[in-house]
Amino acid sequence: MATSIRILNGTVRGKLYWRRTLEGYLFISPWIIGFAVFTAGALLGSFGISLTEWSIIGDRYWVGAGNYVKLVQDQFFWKSLQVTFLYLLNVPMNLVLGLLLALLLNQKILGLGVFRTVFFLPSVTAGVAVSLLWLWIFNPRFGVINVLLAKIGIQGPMWLGSETWAMPALIIMSVWGVGGSMLIYLAALQGIPTALYEAATIDGASHLRKFLYITIPMISPVLLLNLIIGVIGSFQVFTQAFIMTRGGPNYATLFYVLYLYQHAFQWYNMGYASALAWILFIVILVCTFLILKMSRDWVYYED
Amino acid sequence: MNTPRLTRRSFLNLAGTMSAASLLAACALPTAAPGTSEEAMAEPIVIGWARHGNEVSQATEDTLAGLFQEANPGVEIDALALPWSDYNTKIPIDIAGGTAPDTFTAHPALMINSHAAGGAANLTERINAAEPGINYADILYPGDAEFDGDIFGLPQKSCTHQIRYNKDLFAEAGLPTPGELYWSGGADAWNFNSFVEIGQQLTKDLDGDGNPDQYAYAGIGGTGNVAMLRAAGGDIFDEAVTQCLVNSPESVSGLEYMLSLVENEIIPSPELMVNELGINFDTGRMAMAGGTTCDSVQALHPDKRLPFAWDFVVLPAGPGGFRCWGDTDQSVVSTSSANPDEAFDWIVFRASLDAWEQAYDGGMKLAFTDGPTRWSTFDSRAFTEPLGELDIPMIKEGYRHTNPDPFVPRSKDPYRVLFSIYATEINNMLRGTKTPQEAADDACALIDSEILA
C-alpha cells in the first residue's frame, strides 16, 4: 500500500522508471551493439571508403567526390540503373498475383492447408536452387516453356540467351516468390471483420463492390508494405543474374547490385563500389519516401 | 518445502553481469602467454600458408607441410585452403590489414595486384643466393612472377588450358585423333582448317529431329577465345598494354574464324545453353572441350573416371601458330611476414621436384591435384606414373606453346577485360547480333574508355 502511494506521488516512480529503462536497454544491448558496430559502423565506413580509390590491397588514395563524378560518366552505371528500374515491372505484377492467390486461398475449400503450403514453398527455397531450376525451364530447346509453346505451334524465344527476352524471363521468374506476399495478404484478409461484409451483403452490394470498397481499403496498409518490400527487393536483386546470366547477354541483365559486386569483389575497386552502394541507398530511400508520401492518399488506417 | 527460485532481480543481476563480462572479454586484446625465455626459444616458428582449394587441397598442404617440417625442425607450417571466392575476398583484405599469411598463393590477377600494392616481397636476391640449388631455369612460366626484372614468386602450380578430346567418338567417326595429327604433321596437320573439316563430321543429329545432339566442340569460352585470337595472329593489347588490338585485322580474322565455327555448327551458339541439356564432354556428347591440364586430369581417378577414353591436345594452329592459355599460381612471401627466411624456404620446397617425389613416395599423387612447377616434373615418376594414360609429351607441349609468358595481360583490371568486356563482345558476335568487326570495335571502345583512359 505504501509503495502504491509513493508511486502515485511520483517520488519512487522516477527510480523505478529509470531502473526499468536501464533493464530494457540491457536486454536490447546485444542488438544495439550489433547495430552500432556491424551496421551503422559499416555504413559510415563504406561512406569513407567511397571517397577513396582503394583496391582492397594496398593504400587508399583520397579522391573526394571523384568516384561520384566518375559514376555519372560511367555508361554501365546508367545501364545497370536502367536494367534495375525495368525489373521493377515485376512489382505490380506480383502485387496483383499475390492478392489473387490470397483471395483464392482465403476460401473454405478442401485441402486448403496443402494449397497454402504448396504456394508458399517456393518462397523458402534457396535462391541458387531456384535459379538453376529456371535455367532448365527457360532452355530454348528442351525447356518446358518452349516445349509447351511448340505444342501450340509457337516457336519460343531464346529467353536467357536473347537480349530482348532475358529481362522478361527474369520478371516471369519473379512470380516464383509470390508466396511471401500472398501469406501477408492472407493474414490481412483474415483480419477484416466479417461484420463489414455482412452489412454490405444486407445492403445488396455485389462481390466486386465488396472487394473494391471493403477488402482493398482494409488491406491497403498491407498493400503498401508489400509494395515497399517489392521495390526494395527489386533494387537488390542479385542471385538470379549472378547464377543465370552473369549480367548478359550484352548487359541486358546487368543489375545494379551485380555491377556493384563486380566492382567490389571481381575487379577490386572497393572505393567505386562503395560509391555505387551509397547511390543505391539514396535511390531506395527516395523511392520509399515517395511511396510513403503518396500512400497518404490511398492507404486506410482504422485508427 | 522451499525450492530454490530464480527471482527476477537475481536473474537480471546475472544477465547484466554476464553481458558485461562478455563485452569485456570481446574487447580484451589477446596477450602473449607467459613463459620463460627458454620456453620461448623452444617454440616453433609458425609460417602461415594459404591457398585456394578444397578439402583435398587442405590434405595436400598438410602432407607437404609435414614433409617440410621433418626437414626443418623448429618451423611449423600452418596451412589453410579456402574456396576460390572466399580466398579472393579474405586474402586481399588480409593484405590490406597487414595480417596476410606469411606465404600465400597468388593467381595471375592477384599477383599483379599484390605486386602493385607492395604486398609481395621481392625474392630476386634470395633466389640468386640460393642458386644453383634452386635451379630457377627449370621453373615453368617464370614471367608470371617477374616485374621489371625482379622475381616476386615461385610456382605453387602451373596449368595450360588445352582441348580434351573423346577418343571413342573420333574412332566411331573413323577420324584420326587430334593428337595423331599434331604429332604427325604439327601445324600442317592440326590447324584451323583441319579443325573445321574434322568438326563438321563430329556434330551429329542423333535422334533425327533436325537439331544436333552431339557437337564437335563445346565452344570458345573463357580462356580459349583469347588463345584462339592469338593463334589467328591477333591480341588483346600491344606489348606495352597501351593500345587495344582486338580490332586489328589479325584479331578480326580470328573472330571471323570463331563465328564460322558457329555457322558450321561445329560449336553450339551460346544462347542454346547446351550444357544444361546434358550435351557436354562428360556425357560423351561433345567430341572436344576445353580443359586445364591441372584439373581435368582428375577424371583419371577411379571414382571420377569418364566412361570413354580421352586425351589432351593443344588448340589448333592458326596463322599465328600454336597458342595455349597458361598461367601459374605463384607462392609469394608477404611483405608483412615476420619470418621471411623461413617463409622463403617453404615456398622453395613447395616449388621443388623433391616435394612432388617425397609426397609420391608417401602415397600422395600431386599430379591429380596440382599442375607441375618445373620442366623436370614431366620426366618425374610422380607425374608420369599417375597420368600415364595421357599423352604427357602433349601436356608438355602446351607449356611450350604458352606464349607470351605471362599470358594474362598486365592491364588494370585484367579479368574485367578478359571475362567481361571481351567475353561479352565475343558472345554478341557468336549470337549474331554484331558482326566480328562491330564486336571488335565495341570491345576496343570499351577497353579504351574503361581501362586505358
Side-chain angles (χ1 to χ4, degrees):
Chain A
M1 181 61 78
T3 307
S4 308
I5 293 164
R6 274 156 49 198
I7 285 169
L8 283 174
N9 68 25
T11 50
V12 176
R13 188 182 176 187
K15 262 189 182 174
L16 193 63
Y17 171 80
W18 284 113
R19 198 177 136 193
R20 288 192 169 161
T21 304
L22 189 68
E23 285 170 10
Y25 277 114
L26 190 67
F27 276 112
I28 62 168
S29 62
W31 185 88
I32 291 178
I33 292 165
F35 175 78
V37 175
F38 297 113
T39 305
L43 265 172
L44 291 174
S46 80
F47 183 69
I49 293 170
S50 77
L51 304 175
T52 66
E53 190 179 307
W54 185 40
S55 64
I56 305 184
I57 309 173
D59 297 329
R60 295 176 204 180
Y61 301 100
W62 175 263
V63 292
N67 282 326
Y68 293 92
V69 173
K70 190 174 155 193
L71 210 136
V72 177
Q73 298 158 349
D74 178 0
Q75 56 180 310
F76 291 107
F77 162 74
W78 293 109
K79 177 71 184 176
S80 64
L81 211 55
Q82 181 199 341
V83 163
T84 308
F85 270 102
L86 193 60
Y87 184 71
L88 283 175
L89 284 175
N90 86 90
V91 177
M93 190 177 83
N94 283 331
L95 280 178
V96 173
L97 276 174
L99 181 55
L100 286 177
L101 266 181
L103 287 169
L104 282 174
L105 296 180
N106 199 32
Q107 310 302 312
K108 286 172 184 159
I109 55 166
L110 192 66
L112 192 62
V114 175
F115 285 120
R116 284 177 181 172
T117 307
V118 166
F119 280 109
F120 184 63
L121 263 182
S123 302
V124 291
T125 311
V128 174
V130 171
S131 299
L132 292 173
L133 177 73
W134 280 87
L135 262 178
W136 283 26
I137 291 172
F138 284 127
N139 189 281
R141 259 176 69 185
F142 292 148
V144 67
I145 296 179
N146 276 11
V147 166
L148 290 176
L149 287 174
K151 282 190 188 301
I152 54 170
I154 298 171
Q155 191 188 348
M158 288 290 180
W159 294 113
L160 300 170
S162 155
E163 211 172 319
T164 313
W165 283 97
M167 179 55 79
L170 293 184
I171 290 174
I172 291 168
M173 182 187 154
S174 72
V175 172
W176 186 258
V178 81
S181 59
M182 175 206 79
L183 202 70
I184 300 173
Y185 283 130
L186 204 52
L189 286 172
Q190 290 178 355
I192 302 174
T194 49
L196 295 177
Y197 290 112
E198 286 163 6
T201 306
I202 291 167
D203 288 345
S206 66
H207 285 298
L208 182 64
R209 289 182 78 84
K210 280 191 265 187
F211 176 72
L212 289 177
Y213 295 107
I214 298 174
T215 308
I216 293 288
M218 291 302 284
I219 65 163
S220 58
V222 166
L223 270 170
L224 174 66
L225 174 74
N226 276 334
L227 175 64
I228 291 174
I229 290 174
V231 168
I232 293 176
S234 298
F235 275 118
Q236 294 175 337
V237 76
F238 172 75
T239 312
Q240 302 90 309
F242 185 70
I243 302 285
M244 298 169 74
T245 61
R246 295 265 161 180
N250 201 26
Y251 312 106
T253 58
L254 182 67
F255 286 96
Y256 194 94
V257 177
L258 178 65
Y259 186 51
L260 190 160
Y261 169 85
Q262 287 178 333
H263 267 290
F265 299 109
Q266 290 184 339
W267 308 328
Y268 297 141
N269 299 324
M270 198 51 85
Y272 193 69
S274 298
L276 281 167
W278 271 90
I279 294 297
L280 177 65
F281 173 69
I282 291 165
V283 169
I284 290 177
L285 196 71
V286 169
C287 283
T288 310
F289 175 77
L290 288 175
I291 292 169
L292 285 174
K293 184 127 179 117
M294 288 188 289
S295 73
R296 289 177 194 160
D297 298 332
W298 60 270
V299 175
Y300 166 73
Y301 294 102
E302 278 184 274
D303 55 348
Chain B
M1 185 180 158
N2 276 342
T3 51
R5 274 182 75 224
L6 184 65
T7 62
R8 186 166 164 273
R9 173 176 293 198
S10 58
F11 171 74
L12 288 171
N13 283 340
L14 183 66
T17 308
M18 285 175 69
S19 301
S22 306
L23 282 172
L24 287 170
C27 294
L29 286 170
T31 53
T36 63
S37 56
E38 286 79 10
E39 280 171 343
M41 291 282 284
E43 278 181 12
I45 293 170
V46 179
I47 299 295
W49 157 243
R51 64 169 285 186
H52 55 83
N54 50 26
E55 64 276 7
V56 177
S57 318
Q58 183 68 55
T60 301
E61 299 309 326
D62 288 342
T63 304
L64 291 172
L67 293 170
F68 179 77
Q69 285 161 194
E70 274 176 31
N72 296 272
V75 181
E76 191 178 306
I77 303 299
D78 183 15
L80 175 67
L82 288 168
W84 173 259
S85 56
D86 292 350
Y87 187 84
N88 285 307
T89 309
K90 178 180 166 51
I91 295 298
I93 290 170
D94 282 353
I95 296 171
T99 57
D102 298 275
T103 59
F104 59 90
T105 290
H107 54 76
L110 186 57
M111 183 76 235
I112 294 164
N113 288 341
S114 301
H115 170 257
N122 187 337
L123 305 177
T124 314
E125 283 182 20
R126 290 179 189 279
I127 288 170
N128 290 338
E131 287 287 15
I134 199 168
N135 190 12
Y136 192 73
D138 188 38
I139 293 288
L140 287 166
Y141 300 152
D144 270 3
E146 280 182 16
F147 294 87
D148 301 323
D150 284 324
I151 303 165
F152 290 81
L154 288 172
Q156 177 238 312
K157 68 171 186 179
S158 293
C159 311
T160 61
H161 297 206
Q162 301 194 3
I163 289 177
R164 289 175 293 161
Y165 61 91
N166 182 325
K167 285 181 172 177
D168 293 358
L169 290 182
F170 274 83
E172 187 184 294
L175 293 165
T177 67
E180 288 165 352
L181 291 173
Y182 179 87
W183 291 119
S184 65
D188 292 334
W190 180 236
N191 54 40
F192 276 11
N193 294 333
S194 60
F195 187 75
V196 171
E197 286 164 22
I198 286 172
Q200 283 173 326
Q201 297 174 65
L202 286 166
T203 293
K204 292 179 178 174
D205 174 11
L206 300 173
D207 59 10
D209 69 351
N211 293 311
D213 312 297
Q214 174 186 303
Y215 281 91
Y217 186 43
I220 311 166
T223 55
N225 59 34
V226 183
M228 205 160 259
L229 188 84
R230 284 172 162 161
D235 214 323
I236 305 277
F237 290 109
D238 63 341
E239 207 163 315
V241 196
T242 53
Q243 189 189 351
C244 174
L245 296 182
V246 177
N247 58 357
S248 69
E250 295 82 4
S251 296
V252 172
S253 74
L255 299 183
E256 283 165 350
Y257 176 72
M258 293 182 210
L259 180 59
S260 76
L261 296 179
V262 173
E263 289 169 346
N264 286 302
E265 291 194 320
I266 290 166
I267 62 175
S269 171
E271 56 201 348
L272 285 176
M273 298 189 296
V274 295
N275 187 45
E276 273 74 40
L277 306 178
I279 302 177
N280 56 49
F281 189 73
D282 288 0
T283 57
R285 291 167 71 188
M286 191 70 75
M288 294 177 280
T292 78
T293 51
C294 293
D295 301 322
S296 302
V297 293
Q298 289 172 17
L300 296 183
H301 267 301
D303 52 341
K304 294 179 184 171
R305 188 169 280 275
L306 296 172
F308 51 82
W310 65 277
D311 217 327
F312 285 115
V313 67
V314 296
L315 259 74
F322 287 110
R323 291 294 182 101
C324 272
W325 177 281
D327 53 38
T328 308
D329 284 347
Q330 301 286 344
S331 305
V332 302
V333 174
S334 167
T335 44
S336 62
S337 172
N339 300 293
D341 295 339
E342 289 77 10
F344 177 70
D345 290 345
W346 159 250
I347 68 169
V348 168
F349 173 74
R350 190 63 187 75
S352 70
L353 192 58
D354 276 352
W356 275 67
E357 295 190 335
Q358 286 176 31
Y360 187 63
D361 291 340
M364 192 179 75
K365 295 168 181 168
L366 273 177
F368 284 130
T369 55
D370 282 51
T373 52
R374 298 172 163 273
W375 290 104
S376 53
T377 315
F378 297 108
D379 302 321
S380 166
R381 67 186 190 289
F383 191 78
T384 56
E385 287 177 10
L387 304 186
E389 285 179 43
L390 299 175
D391 185 352
I392 289 170
M394 179 65 79
I395 297 176
K396 191 176 177 182
E397 286 296 278
Y399 290 82
R400 212 168 59 75
H401 291 309
T402 301
N403 180 25
D405 169 15
F407 204 78
V408 174
R410 281 183 170 166
S411 66
K412 183 174 175 283
D413 294 339
Y415 281 11
R416 186 179 184 189
V417 172
L418 297 179
F419 302 123
S420 181
I421 295 174
Y422 177 63
T424 298
E425 292 308 330
I426 293 274
N427 191 286
N428 288 337
M429 177 195 74
L430 298 181
R431 288 188 299 115
T433 57
K434 289 182 184 176
T435 66
Q437 187 67 54
E438 286 168 349
D441 288 340
D442 288 350
C444 274
L446 283 172
I447 288 171
D448 284 344
S449 65
E450 299 292 320
I451 310 295
L452 297 176

